[in-house]
Amino acid sequence: MKQKPDLSFWKLWNLSFGFFGVQIAYALQSANISRIFRTLGADPHDLSFFWILPPLMGILVQPIVGTLSDRTWTRFGRRIPYLFIGAIVAVAVMCLLPNAGSLGLQLSAVMMFGLIMLMLLDTSINMAMQPFKMLVGDMVNEQQKGKAYSIQSFLCNAGSVAGYLFPFLFAAIGLSNVAPEGIVPDTVVWSFYVGAAILILCVVYTTMKVKEWPPQEYKEYNPVADAKEDSANWFVLLKNAPSAFWRVGLVQFFCWAAFLYMWTYVVDAVSLTVWDTADSKTEAYQTAGNWTGVLYALQAVSAVVWATIIPRFKSMKQAYSVSLVLGALGFALIPFCPNQYLQIVPFVLIGCAWAAMLACPFTLVTNALQGYGHMGAYLGLFNGTICVPQIVAALLGGVLLSLVGHNQANMMFVSGVFLCIGAVCVAGIRTTTK
């Protein structure tokens, strides 16, 4: 097998640039979905159920995209067609979802429309996101993968900053942050519109700049994958997966459950802690929603900075575990910061965990998968370690909320405990043996 060539910085950059636009869409979804459904009239105890659809669609879509793209060869490449189709659908849905309350429907119909749009949005985002991970696996050699995923992490977090700040910035320039009961404010609606425009521009840039290897050249660098690709069976692949696949997956379980609870309850948690209300009909709640976007953006900036520090650790495992402990501390501090500016401290710490979650797992797993073939299928299946914990956490959200006193701020302690468990599980990852 020929050694994959070293790629210049800009070629590594172009492989992942479209991730910037995809992540804006993902940031708008993660920061505003709970806010949108609360504004539409959802009960806090039912809120986590709305978060079942995104990971459920991810666990269905990403393995399919991975497996199909392993077998796809077109003049545009094998991964890029799926990226482009996913982006087109995401753009359409981003223009519809925030208008769910403006269609004159009954509450039940509004919720159903919102759920369908959420399902389509997450399906399309997953379809657009997965090819970027697979492009790195296809075209980047083992020595440069850490750098490639760090660039991807940077672009991911840069996109997050933009997406998270949009509602706050639009309020600052005069768009209305309040609306009639059951209607999503203009600050959120226009955030989705602008995010959709940036997404399609970024994806067009990627399709123009990235040229995937043709079949013969791909075969020279990935002979094992090519020899077995057509006979892929998910159950056989999982049975034969390296131990690192499963051990990293265990860490992922606790990490993504923790962040699911943040995305679900943190607007209410910040509103309760700083503004002393969780009433979605109040202007204070919508202000808390905008400020939470700012905190998310600061978290993303922190993640960008921390991503440059991760390679300096003695080992990837050490960086992973330390980062998760810092994130756990951040979650635990949220209910103890009654000033909106004090809330910056916990979110900076949470950003350290987020940076590690984006960079460390895929580096550890793709390195372990060298020689196994089916890189796209394996990474699609590995996405289950992101989706399954979110589904489990979403199902248990209402129960746990009741157990912690029906107080959304206390759910941040639950997230902190989960990250601590994840940090302990990092010790079990073996990176050198099957």
Side-chain angles (χ1 to χ4, degrees):
M1 180 175 69
K2 289 176 61 175
Q3 173 71 23
K4 294 176 184 177
D6 285 343
L7 300 179
S8 68
F9 172 83
W10 288 112
K11 286 186 177 179
L12 293 173
W13 176 274
N14 290 339
L15 279 177
S16 295
F17 180 73
F19 217 115
F20 176 78
V22 174
Q23 193 60 29
I24 286 179
Y26 188 74
L28 286 168
Q29 173 187 284
S30 61
N32 293 286
I33 288 303
S34 286
R35 179 182 179 182
I36 287 172
F37 280 103
R38 289 279 280 122
T39 300
L40 294 176
D43 183 273
H45 291 82
D46 298 330
L47 201 56
S48 67
F49 293 122
F50 294 105
W51 284 91
I52 294 174
L53 279 177
L56 180 61
M57 297 315 299
I59 201 171
L60 293 174
V61 171
Q62 294 214 27
I64 294 173
V65 171
T67 301
L68 290 178
S69 66
D70 280 344
R71 304 173 182 177
T72 297
W73 295 105
T74 72
R75 57 178 293 196
F76 303 106
R78 65 191 322 217
R79 315 296 187 186
I80 286 177
Y82 295 91
L83 158 66
F84 196 80
I85 293 170
I88 291 293
V89 176
V91 166
V93 176
M94 288 173 72
C95 294
L96 292 172
L97 174 60
N99 290 299
S102 305
L103 303 176
L105 304 174
Q106 297 294 322
L107 179 60
S108 59
V110 168
M111 292 296 174
M112 182 57 65
F113 179 83
L115 281 171
I116 293 171
M117 290 299 102
L118 177 57
M119 179 183 69
L120 292 174
L121 177 59
D122 205 78
T123 299
S124 56
I125 289 176
N126 274 294
M127 190 172 180
M129 186 181 297
Q130 185 71 354
F132 290 108
K133 301 170 186 175
M134 294 184 288
L135 283 170
V136 172
D138 286 346
M139 303 181 71
V140 179
N141 62 42
E142 186 171 337
Q143 290 72 30
Q144 287 192 302
K145 271 186 184 162
K147 183 177 181 180
Y149 281 122
S150 292
I151 291 172
Q152 196 167 96
S153 178
F154 170 82
L155 289 166
C156 176
N157 286 292
S160 295
V161 170
Y164 292 145
L165 283 178
F166 280 164
F168 179 83
L169 294 176
F170 285 143
I173 64 174
L175 287 183
S176 176
N177 195 45
V178 294
E181 184 176 344
I183 304 296
V184 176
D186 286 345
T187 50
V188 177
V189 174
W190 278 95
S191 295
F192 275 77
Y193 290 166
V194 173
I198 295 174
L199 168 60
I200 196 61
L201 289 174
C202 288
V203 168
V204 168
Y205 175 90
T206 297
T207 58
M208 293 175 62
K209 290 292 185 179
V210 175
K211 303 301 179 186
E212 296 186 67
W213 289 326
Q216 189 59 42
E217 191 172 359
Y218 178 88
K219 189 185 302 182
E220 293 175 3
Y221 295 112
N222 302 274
V224 175
D226 182 74
K228 298 179 179 179
E229 217 115 22
D230 290 337
S231 60
N233 179 293
W234 292 351
F235 295 105
V236 173
L237 292 178
L238 290 173
K239 179 182 177 181
N240 295 328
S243 66
F245 181 96
W246 297 105
R247 293 172 186 264
V248 175
L250 180 62
V251 179
Q252 292 268 86
F253 182 90
F254 293 104
C255 292
W256 287 94
F259 272 79
L260 186 281
Y261 288 141
M262 180 184 78
W263 297 325
T264 304
Y265 299 109
V266 77
V267 173
D268 285 11
V270 171
S271 188
L272 279 168
T273 305
V274 178
W275 281 272
D276 198 30
T277 182
D279 184 353
S280 62
K281 301 181 183 66
T282 63
E283 183 176 355
Y285 182 86
Q286 298 299 337
T287 300
N290 284 358
W291 184 248
T292 301
V294 175
L295 295 174
Y296 274 135
L298 293 170
Q299 170 199 315
V301 171
S302 170
V304 170
V305 175
W306 191 253
T308 66
I309 297 173
I310 285 175
R312 301 171 187 261
F313 277 85
K314 182 179 179 180
S315 69
M316 185 69 72
K317 286 174 57 177
Q318 184 185 64
Y320 203 1
S321 58
V322 169
S323 301
L324 296 184
V325 170
L326 291 174
L329 177 61
F331 280 124
L333 286 175
I334 289 176
F336 295 106
C337 297
N339 180 281
Q340 68 186 89
Y341 299 104
L342 285 177
Q343 289 284 342
I344 292 172
V345 175
F347 279 82
V348 167
L349 294 173
I350 292 169
C352 297
W354 184 242
M357 287 169 58
L358 292 175
C360 298
F362 284 97
T363 300
L364 292 168
V365 169
T366 56
N367 285 344
L369 286 172
Q370 293 302 312
Y372 279 76
H374 310 290
M375 182 66 74
Y378 265 121
L379 291 183
L381 291 168
F382 185 68
N383 186 65
T385 67
I386 296 174
C387 300
V388 170
Q390 293 183 70
I391 293 170
V392 174
L395 289 171
L396 296 176
V399 174
L400 290 176
L401 179 59
S402 298
L403 291 176
V404 297
H406 306 278
N407 187 318
Q408 294 94 312
N410 290 342
M411 291 298 291
M412 300 302 98
F413 294 124
V414 176
S415 292
V417 170
F418 281 4
L419 278 194
C420 283
I421 296 173
V424 171
C425 292
V426 170
I429 301 171
R430 288 184 290 186
T431 58
T432 56
T433 60
K434 186 172 178 179

